[in-house]
Amino acid sequence: MNTPRTTSVRSARRIAGFTALPLVAALALAGCSTAQSGSSDSSSSAASSSNASGGTATAAAASNDALRAAVETARKAVGSGVVISVEQEQNGSAYEVLVVTDDGTEHEVHTNADGTSVSGSPRAETSDADDRAENDRFVAAADLDVSAAAGKLEDLHAGTITELGLDDHLGKVVWEGDVRDPSGTKHSVRIDAGSGDVVTDRVDTDD
């Protein structure tokens, strides 16, 4: 009398087991889908981060295209010479560029904000013998030209170069420049004009 009941119980268990199989399979598939979704989200996040980083570098380079254009425009306006200084003026709406010719004379040139055209005519500065000697010293020591110096600043800090010029620092000729980063912080940097080595790099809190 007990045999039929045992068989019935076993059959019920088998049926329950077969019924549970689709549920287990569904749960397993759901787990795989979640894992793949998480992996995809992580990949997307990493890609977005990489794109953002690349975008910052590209924006930094683009922000200094006008400075480089102003350098070339000023040099062509003078006809020859070496650019020893370039600086934003009038709140970034223009550039002032100083070009030294072979005789040591300093020429001041003003360009528009894009650096593509000259405002007025180049003006030769009145220079005495000491001024010309200093300009000659700067030019002779500067193995890095202004464009290469700008690249050095960009390697250190992403942002807009607001001024860059040759100067003397403790008896050494250096490129002195300021970079304004996207947060508004100003970085003041000195680069050895001969070797390209970083001499000083500090945050300027004066303004």
Side-chain angles (χ1 to χ4, degrees):
M1 294 297 293
N2 292 335
T3 302
R5 183 172 179 275
T6 302
T7 302
S8 175
V9 170
R10 286 177 180 171
S11 298
R13 286 176 180 170
R14 284 178 187 154
I15 292 170
F18 291 148
T19 303
L21 283 176
L23 178 60
V24 172
L27 289 174
L29 287 173
C32 290
S33 176
T34 302
Q36 289 174 354
S37 175
S39 175
S40 176
D41 290 344
S42 297
S43 299
S44 298
S45 177
S48 297
S49 176
S50 175
N51 289 338
S53 176
T56 300
T58 302
S63 68
N64 294 309
D65 285 349
L67 178 140
R68 289 184 168 87
V71 165
E72 292 305 316
T73 298
R75 186 184 287 120
K76 290 176 181 177
V78 173
S80 64
V82 176
V83 172
I84 64 168
S85 175
V86 56
E87 179 178 0
Q88 279 189 350
E89 57 181 9
Q90 300 173 20
N91 295 319
S93 63
Y95 283 95
E96 177 187 279
V97 186
L98 300 182
V99 182
V100 171
T101 47
D102 291 341
D103 61 357
T105 301
E106 193 173 288
H107 302 262
E108 183 178 306
V109 183
H110 295 267
T111 77
N112 63 352
D114 294 333
T116 54
S117 64
V118 174
S119 304
S121 301
R123 181 167 60 88
E125 297 290 318
T126 302
S127 306
D128 58 23
D130 290 339
D131 292 332
R132 289 192 293 273
E134 182 177 65
N135 287 336
D136 287 342
R137 173 176 170 249
F138 285 172
V139 170
D143 291 334
L144 266 69
D145 65 10
V146 65
S147 182
K152 291 285 185 180
L153 266 63
E154 289 170 333
D155 289 342
L156 292 170
H157 302 289
T160 301
I161 300 171
T162 56
E163 62 179 289
L164 181 60
L166 288 171
D167 206 347
D168 181 280
H169 176 67
L170 303 178
K172 180 179 296 185
V173 178
V174 298
W175 283 103
E176 286 190 346
D178 290 339
V179 183
R180 184 79 64 177
D181 71 21
S183 72
T185 301
K186 185 168 79 171
H187 303 267
S188 293
V189 181
R190 291 188 180 99
I191 302 291
D192 188 306
S195 66
D197 294 335
V198 178
V199 177
T200 62
D201 181 4
R202 65 181 182 84
V203 172
D204 192 336
T205 58
D206 292 342
D207 60 358

